[in-house]
Amino acid sequence: MLSYYTVLITLCWMALGVLCVLVHENSWIPQKDKHRFYLTYGIIALSALAEWLGIQLSGNTDVPAWVLMMVKCFDYILTPMAGGAVVAQMKLYNRWFKALMVVLGCNAIFQIVACFNGWMIVVDDQHRYSHGPLYGVYIGIYLAVIVLTAIEFLIFGLSYRRQNKISLISVFIMLLVGIGLQEILGSEYRTAYIAMTICVALMFIHYAEFYKMDADEQISQQRIQLMKDVLTGVFSRYAYTKDIERYSQMTALPENFTVFVFDINRLKTVNDTIGHDAGDELIVGAARSIEKVVGDAGRCYRTGGDEFVVMTNMTKEKAEELLARLAEETERWSKNRTDFTLSIAPGYARAEDYRDYTIEELVKKADQAMYAAKADYYLNNDNEG
């Protein structure tokens, strides 16, 4: 008949196996980090196995005494390592983690040496083990591991919101209580590995939330990068397409809805004669000038190499005023330059003047007005480009 402790340890092993499955199925956790989880659960399972075997072998005269001593040696090596593995999940490779690794390494060496000298474990004629004369050294090492683990828990908690910090500390306190009950109440109350298994299960919830938050942040950053033009910082072609789709779903455009289309004059000439760096400077200058006169009144998009579109709501008078201010702004931008100047061909169309037009048709009308302005510019300046 199975003992109560054997049943509990079996449930712990099963729970650790389920955690491995949950980690494997979690799409938010990177593959390289999943191995860290597997290692943690594996060490806890092995250390629980070593403790369980030690209990099963104690008093069994059919098994050589040295086997019992080796099992307990592994028990005392792996148990502190379980705490180190939990810390390793946090990916806090700081001085405290390095100190923890040194303590765990020293403990492993001490346990191996003690195994051959009877310092930690004494086995009597009935093959029952008891603590050796240097068992206090192990207790000191165990407490050092707990302190270092507590420090890392507190540091890791700083990356969470306040309510998450409280729950994280609560999990660690529960772990301490589980370990403390076993050490204080004696060997009949085997609560350490139950507490440790529950601890890593609750920690998995925290990690899953953390990884999801991190993935959401990356997606948000990627979306921002898609929405913004890399060179100019104005809204991108992608953002323009999305807004066109949104306006296309409207039954009617707002009455004062106005679309501006702008194109830089003589950009090709500047690219060919001075260079593409100068051409990029013109494009950025155009974007800044347009942004300055539009302000918060609308959105400016870079839809092509040197073509910009602005969507806004304003009266015809305001639209004409905007074009006048844009001409002043480009003149101001070009004032101190001798190599090239900035000139923008504008065109606009208002929904009030074309009530039955879709957003695409309104943009096309503004585009036609821009090309007319561009043709007029080259005609008056007797230039090509």
Side-chain angles (χ1 to χ4, degrees):
M1 185 175 179
L2 294 177
S3 68
Y4 184 61
Y5 176 64
T6 299
V7 172
L8 289 179
I9 287 294
T10 302
L11 289 175
C12 288
W13 290 328
M14 292 179 66
L16 292 169
V18 171
L19 282 171
C20 288
V21 174
L22 290 174
V23 170
H24 176 73
E25 293 180 344
N26 192 298
S27 59
W28 302 110
I29 303 176
Q31 190 61 42
K32 60 179 181 179
D33 289 347
K34 288 183 178 182
H35 297 302
R36 192 176 291 107
F37 284 91
Y38 300 146
L39 177 63
T40 299
Y41 304 150
I43 290 176
I44 293 174
L46 286 175
S47 56
L49 175 63
E51 183 185 84
W52 178 82
L53 280 175
I55 293 173
Q56 302 305 310
L57 295 178
S58 182
N60 188 340
T61 56
D62 294 332
V63 178
W66 66 267
V67 174
L68 176 59
M69 294 189 68
M70 290 297 295
V71 167
K72 293 306 296 180
C73 177
F74 280 114
D75 179 10
Y76 293 142
I77 290 174
L78 291 172
T79 298
M81 279 188 178
V86 172
V87 173
Q89 285 185 343
M90 304 176 192
K91 296 192 294 185
L92 297 175
Y93 304 119
N94 50 27
R95 59 178 180 173
W96 302 110
F97 180 75
K98 292 178 181 177
L100 179 59
M101 293 299 103
V102 170
V103 171
L104 293 176
C106 291
N107 177 63
I109 295 172
F110 170 72
Q111 295 299 336
I112 292 172
V113 174
C115 183
F116 295 98
N117 294 277
W119 295 344
M120 281 289 297
I121 297 295
V122 176
V123 180
D124 61 19
D125 295 338
Q126 300 300 315
H127 286 198
R128 294 186 180 278
Y129 73 87
S130 59
H131 298 152
L134 296 184
Y135 183 74
V137 175
Y138 173 69
I139 294 299
I141 292 172
Y142 202 76
L143 290 174
V145 170
I146 290 176
V147 170
L148 291 170
T149 303
I151 293 172
E152 292 292 59
F153 260 81
L154 291 173
I155 294 173
F156 185 66
L158 296 176
S159 61
Y160 285 96
R161 299 186 297 271
R162 183 176 180 274
Q163 61 270 29
N164 298 109
K165 293 177 186 177
I166 294 173
S167 59
L168 196 64
I169 293 172
S170 300
V171 169
F172 183 71
I173 292 174
M174 184 213 67
L175 175 62
L176 289 182
V177 170
I179 294 173
L181 286 174
Q182 179 168 317
E183 295 298 325
I184 295 171
L185 299 179
S187 60
E188 293 182 3
Y189 299 90
R190 297 286 174 173
T191 57
Y193 286 104
I194 300 170
M196 200 173 295
T197 302
I198 296 173
C199 171
V200 292
L202 295 175
M203 284 292 292
F204 173 75
I205 297 173
H206 276 274
Y207 286 125
E209 179 184 0
F210 181 81
Y211 280 110
K212 186 178 184 303
M213 288 168 56
D214 187 54
D216 289 344
E217 179 65 23
Q218 291 182 19
I219 292 171
S220 178
Q221 290 298 322
Q222 291 172 357
R223 186 177 291 112
I224 291 173
Q225 291 173 1
L226 284 173
M227 294 292 285
K228 292 292 185 176
D229 177 63
V230 176
L231 177 63
T232 63
V234 300
F235 286 98
S236 65
R237 177 82 188 188
Y238 174 82
Y240 169 75
T241 302
K242 288 294 181 183
D243 283 349
I244 286 290
E245 291 175 357
R246 180 166 56 87
Y247 282 114
S248 297
Q249 295 173 0
M250 294 182 178
T251 54
L253 295 172
E255 184 176 350
N256 285 326
F257 186 78
T258 304
V259 174
F260 292 88
V261 175
F262 302 105
D263 194 274
I264 301 174
N265 293 319
R266 295 190 300 176
L267 177 64
K268 184 176 184 304
T269 301
V270 171
N271 281 331
D272 292 344
T273 57
I274 302 178
H276 285 276
D277 287 342
D280 287 346
E281 192 175 350
L282 268 182
I283 293 171
V284 174
R288 296 293 172 271
S289 299
I290 295 169
E291 276 189 313
K292 189 170 183 179
V293 299
V294 173
D296 296 330
R299 277 190 166 193
C300 176
Y301 312 84
R302 184 187 177 201
T303 57
D306 62 340
E307 188 171 287
F308 297 87
V309 173
V310 170
M311 296 184 191
T312 182
N313 285 291
M314 60 178 54
T315 63
K316 185 174 182 179
E317 291 74 17
K318 289 290 185 181
E320 292 293 339
E321 181 183 331
L322 184 147
L323 294 184
R325 286 191 289 115
L326 179 60
E328 293 173 359
E329 189 61 35
T330 56
E331 184 177 352
R332 186 180 298 110
W333 189 90
S334 306
K335 187 175 181 180
N336 297 321
R337 297 181 179 275
T338 58
D339 46 357
F340 56 87
T341 58
L342 175 61
S343 173
I344 298 176
Y348 74 91
R350 301 182 64 250
E352 185 180 19
D353 299 327
Y354 305 96
R355 295 185 182 275
D356 296 331
Y357 275 36
T358 63
I359 181 66
E360 293 87 351
E361 292 171 329
L362 198 64
V363 171
K364 187 175 181 180
K365 200 70 179 177
D367 197 49
Q368 291 172 353
M370 181 274 293
Y371 275 109
K374 196 173 187 70
D376 185 62
Y377 169 83
Y378 287 123
L379 179 65
N380 293 330
N381 289 274
D382 191 27
N383 206 332
E384 295 182 357

